[in-house]
Amino acid sequence: MSAPVDLAHAPAAPTRSTGAPDPQWLAELHDDVVATSGETRTVLAPATGEPLHELPLSTPDDVADAFARTRLAHLAWARAGFAHRRKVLLRAHDLIVARREQFIDLVRIETGKSRGQAFEEVYQAAAAARYNALAARSVLRSRRVHSGAPTVIDARVRYRPRGVAGVITPWNFPLSLAAMDVMPALAAGCGVVQKADEQAALNILELRRALVDAGLPGDLWAVVTGDGATIGEAVTDRADVIAFTGSTATGRRIAAKAAERLVPASLELGGKNPLIVLDDVDPERAARQAAYACYSSMGQLCVSPERIYVQRGVADAFTEALVRTIEGLVIDPSPRSTGDVGTLTSHAQLDRVRGHLDDALAKGATVLAGGVHRPDLGPYAFEPTLLADVSPDMACFAEETFGAIVAISVVDDDDEAVLAANAGDYGLNAVVLSGSVPRARRVAAALETGSVNINEGYRGSFSSIAAPMGGSKQSGLGRRNGPDGLKRYVESVTIAAANGPIAPPNSAREWRRLEQPMLLLLRAQRALRRR
């Protein structure tokens, strides 16, 4: 068990009445950014469009300094061992839970999410801390393996932390995505230099503060900010291993840079996720499941469905129920709201959504629900939108919208649904809604995606911290979470020792004498099915 967490020195929470950050707390948090330029960037609150705070900006020299200090801290952290790292991460778990209201507030004021969808992030961050604290030793401990010549060679595998991880995360799920990349790096014995997206840097800085309060050396996790083209590249140019979440276009550039330096990179990229509705569903229940999956966080989630394929036998009933469900969603981006959905996060997101909608309508698409900008509710508020008659010449047909627009199409059977779902360049997540889980599993097995959720949109796989998460095709390389998420931060080292009663051959005569016994050994291992 970890020691009790002392909350006496917890930083002040954002002001409860307005949702605005406490100025003193904000100044202290800004001090944790590695930034010496003196320049700042104004971050706007999605709920109001008004300035939220002035974020300090880093320079490439700041990034270099962060890596230097983190490398030094990493040496002691790697030597500290699993038990010490476990204790720190479990204390961090307890702090995240204890400070949940503060984190919920931060997620809401920086991203415009509803309370429930902000709580998802807190839950996920705590779960990531707990899993990696408890799993690291069993996944990464040194272990003996079968050697090619038993009794002659003893072979063991150990894992060495790669050094300093360069982590780049986006604004849309700032707390959970940071935790899912940073926690395993720390548990594996690495240091971290993280490039935080300016829109949601406060969440990352506050998560870092919780880790430091739990006993993490301050220099072990450095946070830098600034333009991706300069600061992000400065991070990837120095990192010993890269963890990136973002667009496919940027991911390709990072992959090319990593290949030049021969450093590993895990990349979770874009998606155009399908949702399949089989003809054995309860239409009302399926509509509620689909609406949450598609419009949680206003669709600004890489694993959210953007295209629905409903089988003809239930198409009318499901579509009618889905339209009613969407029209019943309460939109309220205010920090203290209890609405079902919040708002788009920025003017850029609003422009992208409106651009896809205008393009689709100009080319013949039909709005079944939503499709209206709601400045009366907030500057970036937009009604969750369902489109029919979407064709391949429309931008929203195959491009990721990343917000509030979903297209629905009718298919005849399971095979047509699978073919439609597998079409396209992406393969991140898929959803199958069915009254029969065995039937849904058969459909899921044919889908070309990194994860499939049955009768649930994304939370089943997203919350399964012990299971790998990632994409296929243009949706990325590598996996976060689970043993795979830990192993991306280590190098495997094989240590073999010749210490048996029989020495390996070192001359032609010794080879001739041992050739037949070695053939017998191969046949015996085959008969015993020894690996």
Side-chain angles (χ1 to χ4, degrees), residues 243-402:
F244 171 77
T245 305
S247 71
T248 297
T250 303
R252 288 195 189 102
R253 292 194 292 272
I254 290 175
K257 296 279 286 185
E260 288 178 5
R261 298 180 53 229
L262 295 179
V263 299
S266 65
L267 311 169
E268 189 196 295
L269 309 179
K272 190 70 177 177
N273 307 300
L275 185 152
I276 295 172
V277 184
L278 303 183
D279 56 12
D280 58 358
V281 298
D282 174 336
E284 295 290 339
R285 181 183 180 191
R288 292 193 298 272
Q289 292 168 333
Y292 190 90
C294 295
Y295 303 112
S296 177
S297 300
M298 287 301 290
Q300 299 169 124
L301 173 59
C302 55
V303 290
S304 288
E306 292 193 5
R307 46 197 178 114
I308 297 174
Y309 301 105
V310 55
Q311 291 188 346
R312 194 172 302 279
V314 74
D316 289 344
F318 170 79
T319 303
E320 291 171 5
L322 182 57
V323 169
R324 286 197 303 273
T325 302
I326 294 170
E327 291 176 342
L329 293 175
V330 175
I331 306 169
D332 187 352
S334 62
R336 302 273 74 81
S337 82
T338 56
D340 298 304
V341 294
T343 179
L344 297 172
T345 301
S346 67
H347 200 284
Q349 285 297 106
L350 177 62
D351 285 347
R352 182 172 180 83
V353 168
R354 288 198 296 194
H356 273 205
L357 178 62
D358 292 345
D359 172 75
L361 295 180
K363 295 173 180 175
T366 304
V367 175
L368 301 181
V372 179
H373 176 211
R374 295 294 302 275
D376 56 313
L377 300 176
Y380 316 129
F382 198 88
E383 292 182 355
T385 301
L386 183 67
L387 297 180
D389 306 314
V390 171
S391 56
D393 60 331
M394 300 175 188
C396 69
F397 180 85
E399 292 180 21
E400 184 178 33
T401 303
F402 208 68

Side-chain angles (χ1 to χ4, degrees), residues 405-485:
I405 293 180
V406 177
I408 188 168
S409 305
V410 178
V411 294
D412 287 319
D413 53 32
D414 293 9
D415 289 342
E416 186 179 353
V418 168
L419 288 173
N422 286 342
D425 295 331
Y426 297 104
L428 188 57
N429 182 45
V431 180
V432 182
L433 304 183
S434 174
S436 167
V437 171
R439 180 186 177 190
R441 289 190 188 279
R442 290 192 294 272
V443 171
L447 297 174
E448 299 169 353
T449 58
S451 60
V452 182
N453 285 271
I454 294 173
N455 295 333
E456 162 49 37
Y458 62 87
R459 291 169 294 183
S461 59
F462 194 67
S463 66
S464 298
I465 297 293
M469 176 185 175
S472 61
K473 298 191 279 189
Q474 296 301 304
S475 290
L477 298 170
R479 295 292 185 266
R480 63 157 52 100
N481 294 346
D484 293 10

Side-chain angles (χ1 to χ4, degrees), residues 25 41 47 79 117 120 134 143-144 149 170 190 201 224 265 319 326 356 363 457 462 467 469 478 498 512:
W25 167 84
R41 179 165 297 164
R79 288 194 299 265
Q117 289 147 20
E120 283 185 5
L134 299 176
R143 52 175 52 86
R144 190 174 183 176
C190 289
V224 295
T319 303
I326 294 170
H356 273 205
K363 295 173 180 175
F462 194 67
M469 176 185 175
R512 286 193 298 271

Side-chain angles (χ1 to χ4, degrees), residues 47-73:
T48 63
E50 297 176 354
L52 180 62
H53 67 111
E54 295 291 327
L55 180 69
L57 297 182
S58 308
T59 68
D61 287 342
D62 292 328
V63 176
D65 179 62
F67 269 95
R69 289 189 284 113
T70 302
R71 287 194 192 285
L72 187 61

Side-chain angles (χ1 to χ4, degrees), residues 482-497:
D484 293 10
L486 279 159
K487 287 185 176 180
R488 62 184 162 157
Y489 293 113
V490 296
E491 280 195 279
S492 56
V493 180
T494 300
I495 300 175

